[in-house]
Amino acid sequence: MVNDDILRTHLQELRRGTAVLASLIALRRPDYGYALLQRLAAHGFPVDANTLYPLLRRLEEQGLLTSEWNTAESRPRKFYRTSADGETLLGRLLDDLAAVQTSVAGLIEGVAE
């Protein structure tokens, strides 16, 4: 039986790569960090805030997200949105994910035979 720590580690590794993909998809609609955390969690992508905020900064530095401050409310919030380059990368990542899913399905079918 696999212990909980080993399982947790491998699940974390599996989900780490999907955080970028999920964020680029979710941020096709502009949102701020905390709302994004909630939206990702609601869709099965729980991400820790200590992981998400550095990820958002890195994606912005890479030109994959744009941002702007909303100061209309009492508390200023930084809103992020997937950029044109982010959309291009997202398309490539989705293509690769589909290929990985096909490969895994083929392996599963091959093992079952």
Side-chain angles (χ1 to χ4, degrees), residues 56-102:
L56 292 174
R57 285 191 297 274
R58 181 170 49 90
L59 293 176
E60 185 178 16
E61 287 170 7
Q62 293 172 343
L64 303 173
L65 295 178
T66 59
S67 69
E68 63 182 59
W69 284 96
N70 178 352
T71 57
E73 299 176 23
S74 61
R75 183 170 167 232
R77 293 183 174 157
K78 188 174 188 179
F79 279 75
Y80 295 90
R81 180 183 195 110
T82 303
S83 69
D85 284 348
E87 283 290 338
T88 300
L89 177 67
L90 177 58
R92 298 285 303 274
L93 293 175
L94 289 171
D95 289 345
D96 193 62
L97 179 60
V100 168
Q101 289 173 318
T102 299

Side-chain angles (χ1 to χ4, degrees), residues 7-69:
L7 175 61
R8 193 173 15 261
T9 297
H10 286 287
L11 288 174
Q12 182 180 19
E13 287 179 19
L14 182 62
R15 290 193 176 265
R16 185 173 291 136
T18 60
V20 169
L21 182 71
S23 295
L24 289 173
I25 292 169
L27 290 172
R28 285 175 157 170
R29 184 180 85 204
D31 221 340
Y32 59 98
Y34 183 72
L36 178 60
L37 278 172
Q38 293 177 318
R39 188 153 41 124
L40 292 176
H43 286 89
F45 292 93
V47 179
D48 186 77
N50 292 328
T51 299
L52 184 66
Y53 289 108
L55 173 69
L56 292 174
R57 285 191 297 274
R58 181 170 49 90
L59 293 176
E60 185 178 16
E61 287 170 7
Q62 293 172 343
L64 303 173
L65 295 178
T66 59
S67 69
E68 63 182 59
W69 284 96

